[in-house]
Amino acid sequence: MKTIFEKTSGVSGVGFNECKLGDFLPEELLRKDSIGLPQLSELEVLRHYKELSDRNFCIEKGFYPLGSCTMKYNPKVNELLASLEGFANLHPMQSDEDSQGALELMYKLQEKLKYITGMDAVSLQPAAGAHGELTGMMVIKKYFEVKGETNRTKVIIPDSAHGTNPASAKMCGFEIVEVKSNEKGQVDVEALKSLLDENVAAIMMTNPNTLGIFEENVLEISKLMHDNGSLLYYDGANFNAIMGWTNPALMGFDVVHLNLHKTFATPHGGGGPGAGPIGVVEKLKDFLPSPVIAFDGGKYYREYNIPHTIGKVRSFYGNFGVLVRAYAYILMMGSNLKLASADAVLNANYIKEKLKGAYDIPYDVPCMHEFVICGEKQHHQGVSTLGIAKRLMDSNCHPPTVYFPLIVHEALMIEPTETESKAVLDEFIDTMLKIAREIEENPEEVLKSPQTTPIKKVDETLAARQPNLTFKGN
Ligand SMILES: *Cc1c(COP(=O)(O)O)cnc(C)c1O
């Protein structure tokens, strides 16, 4: 496929009036050459982007069981509400008085998220999950600074953690200490005990963890940490596993981030705008990013007076359009949020039970919203996890997450989400079973995949050794 530059037909979709910039700008600032933008008609532009989008895989096209990423369906009513003129055209520098509707929405979203997480205060500023982690760790760091406990320089992170956890803590200047998992795929409490001393600031955990397993000892862990004077950070990116059934406050956590662009049905993928709000317990409230959105009983306003604030972590107040979508989703779902979690968990367990036998499942316990397969059983035929993932692409299915979590060899991490029907799950199960049979009977066919995608199987060695990354325009 050609790039839009190569498609330049010389026709322009827009006409500009002759304008003598030289009348306004000094001569030396004027462009000497042509600007080099593609020249196409409106129809040519539309065809170009339609062709591109047809090559893209998206949730509207097929099943997308990408573990840890919660690629659920995002109801279109959210889009409608986010594009309401009063929201979409509001300028962030307009006064509180002129922005009452938007501030009310943000305030009420904060309240909902407080309720859902059990936390005492919420900031909507962080723009992604990892950004929420960074913000939360900055809050923890400042808390200990103000307390005069600058010796607390270590953060404990389980070996099953999402990679962003150690990255965020490290960016904050903490030293990372890994705690290993036990044979049940959960934090090894004895190993954790041996790591505790007066230099530990916090533990970062996710529950259920990245194996999709609920940490049974979480209450013991939170007591251990608090007895040690340390705090607990909860990675709530995959909150649809527990939403409405329990919450991080009940488990003893002090800080949590959520991914609105996973659990709360706002679009993600392609690095588009997201939102990773954080919630904190009462004693950390005074450290939140400024401003938080407040209500005095009559008016909503931006509260900048936060005694120990870590400052701003994003321009203005976060990704407002994402906040509108998430709020719409929460209102629409109401107490059904609890059902969404139940269905996410049910769907994952259903697939897991059906694939058992055909594939190895290293931690075969009832899972939460996702589970992990090990592709080793297929190795004797020369097919790896990567091969299974690529073969799935020939059945209009996005591959699951592969080679993560790191503690499972040849991992294939499957998260169906609650928004898929039983028919779709059954189709996926059939495809997976068919691939398992195919690997035994005709592995060469599997190794040729993907065969039906716009770009077929590529020579990965060549691509890695001699990458051709530049487009040379005319
Ligand atoms: C997705 C995810 C993150 C990171 O979220 P981003 O918005 O991609 O930064 C962190 N932790 C877990 C467990 C996740 O699944």
Side-chain angles (χ1 to χ4, degrees):
M1 180 178 165
K2 287 183 172 172
T3 67
I4 196 163
F5 287 89
E6 292 165 297
K7 284 183 180 170
T8 288
S9 65
V11 177
S12 176
V14 206
F16 291 104
N17 292 332
E18 188 77 22
C19 172
K20 288 213 180 65
L21 282 177
D23 295 348
F24 312 103
L25 290 174
E27 182 64 27
E28 68 271 20
L29 292 182
L30 293 180
R31 185 188 302 281
K32 304 285 180 304
D33 312 314
S34 96
I35 190 168
L37 292 178
Q39 295 271 308
L40 295 99
S41 72
E42 188 173 312
L43 180 57
E44 286 167 330
V45 170
L46 287 173
R47 286 191 177 145
H48 175 73
Y49 285 108
K50 181 70 175 73
E51 190 184 346
L52 277 180
S53 86
D54 283 347
R55 293 180 152 221
N56 203 12
F57 192 88
C58 54
I59 182 80
E60 286 84 357
K61 213 164 180 173
F63 188 43
Y64 209 137
L66 191 63
S68 202
C69 294
T70 315
M71 301 304 289
K72 64 160 90 167
Y73 174 64
N74 309 137
K76 291 299 165 250
V77 65
N78 299 351
E79 296 304 313
L80 188 78
L81 295 169
S83 60
L84 286 177
E85 211 178 316
F87 287 141
N89 292 344
L90 192 63
H91 195 283
M93 288 178 81
Q94 260 168 280
S95 67
D96 286 350
E97 203 158 76
D98 286 345
S99 317
Q100 282 299 297
L103 292 175
E104 178 177 354
L105 183 142
M106 293 171 82
Y107 178 81
K108 289 188 169 167
L109 177 60
Q110 286 176 182
E111 292 300 302
K112 296 277 183 221
L113 298 181
K114 274 162 65 176
Y115 180 76
I116 290 168
T117 58
M119 292 286 140
D120 297 313
V122 161
S123 164
L124 301 173
Q125 253 183 57
H131 195 198
E133 292 169 27
L134 181 68
T135 307
M137 295 317 284
M138 286 165 75
V139 164
I140 289 176
K141 191 159 194 225
K142 184 113 188 221
Y143 168 77
F144 284 121
E145 263 167 36
V146 168
K147 231 173 151 223
E149 297 182 28
T150 46
N151 55 304
R152 294 199 183 264
T153 53
K154 295 197 280 191
V155 169
I156 298 177
I157 302 182
D159 57 5
S160 62
H162 194 269
T164 51
N165 290 188
S168 304
K170 183 81 189 172
M171 270 187 82
C172 229
F174 286 111
E175 182 195 331
I176 315 301
V177 182
E178 187 176 273
V179 58
K180 59 178 175 28
S181 303
N182 60 21
E183 69 293 340
K184 288 166 111 180
Q186 302 182 26
V187 169
D188 186 326
V189 177
E190 290 311 310
L192 176 64
K193 279 184 193 162
S194 72
L195 298 173
L196 292 179
D197 59 28
E198 72 286 357
N199 299 326
V200 173
I203 187 169
M204 287 182 94
M205 271 178 79
T206 175
N207 195 18
N209 61 32
T210 59
L211 293 166
I213 297 173
F214 194 84
E215 298 275 355
E216 294 165 357
N217 300 318
V218 66
L219 292 178
E220 188 185 351
I221 292 171
S222 59
K223 180 162 190 317
L224 277 173
M225 296 308 294
H226 285 149
D227 287 350
N228 192 54
S230 314
L231 297 178
L232 289 97
Y233 183 97
Y234 184 97
D235 179 336
N238 303 130
F239 215 72
N240 66 332
I242 61 159
M243 192 164 50
W245 297 88
T246 180
N247 68 44
L250 292 171
M251 296 183 222
F253 285 85
D254 303 288
V255 188
V256 50
H257 88 261
L258 299 171
N259 276 38
L260 300 190
H261 50 287
K262 287 179 182 167
T263 309
F264 297 95
T266 84
H268 64 298
I278 65 164
V280 297
V281 293
E282 189 67 32
K283 68 180 174 204
L284 299 176
K285 214 169 152 173
D286 289 346
F287 299 85
L288 283 179
S290 153
V292 291
I293 311 304
F295 182 54
D296 67 8
K299 286 218 172 333
Y300 299 92
Y301 62 102
R302 283 162 274 209
E303 174 64 86
Y304 288 90
N305 184 17
I306 305 170
H308 300 298
T309 180
I310 57 166
K312 262 188 163 317
V313 294
R314 193 183 180 284
S315 55
F316 303 115
Y317 326 105
N319 277 327
F320 181 67
V322 178
L323 306 179
V324 177
R325 289 173 176 88
Y327 186 60
Y329 176 75
I330 291 171
L331 286 189
M332 184 175 65
M333 293 293 280
S335 60
N336 283 336
L337 283 175
K338 196 173 169 180
L339 259 185
S341 287
D343 285 350
V345 171
L346 180 65
N347 287 356
N349 278 287
Y350 178 66
I351 298 180
K352 181 170 86 61
E353 288 307 308
K354 294 279 188 182
L355 296 186
K356 204 190 271 183
Y359 293 93
D360 278 342
I361 297 176
Y363 298 96
D364 185 15
V365 289
C367 65
M368 298 296 287
H369 63 301
E370 65 193 2
F371 67 99
V372 181
I373 282 176
C374 159
E376 248 175 28
K377 185 169 180 161
Q378 280 70 26
H379 265 192
H380 71 108
Q381 291 289 73
V383 179
S384 64
T385 281
L386 194 67
I388 300 171
K390 295 208 180 222
R391 188 58 173 153
L392 270 171
M393 294 167 79
D394 289 332
S395 299
N396 191 37
C397 177
H398 194 285
T401 296
V402 292
Y403 299 101
F404 177 79
L406 303 177
I407 58 171
V408 173
H409 201 53
E410 291 287 312
L412 204 76
M413 185 193 210
I414 297 171
E415 179 183 12
T417 85
E418 68 278 13
T419 56
E420 298 294 346
S421 66
K422 181 166 176 293
V424 171
L425 304 185
D426 283 336
E427 203 179 316
F428 174 72
I429 290 162
D430 283 350
T431 306
M432 284 295 285
L433 296 179
K434 197 185 86 201
I435 293 174
R437 276 196 308 275
E438 214 176 15
I439 291 172
E440 295 310 317
E441 292 158 12
N442 189 7
E444 292 74 30
E445 202 54 29
V446 177
L447 289 169
K448 276 191 234 152
S449 289
Q451 305 179 31
T452 59
T453 48
I455 307 280
K456 313 270 178 304
K457 188 176 173 77
V458 294
D459 184 337
E460 282 173 14
T461 315
L462 192 67
R465 298 210 157 201
Q466 291 173 35
N468 180 2
L469 303 174
T470 49
F471 161 68
K472 290 200 181 65
N474 33 15

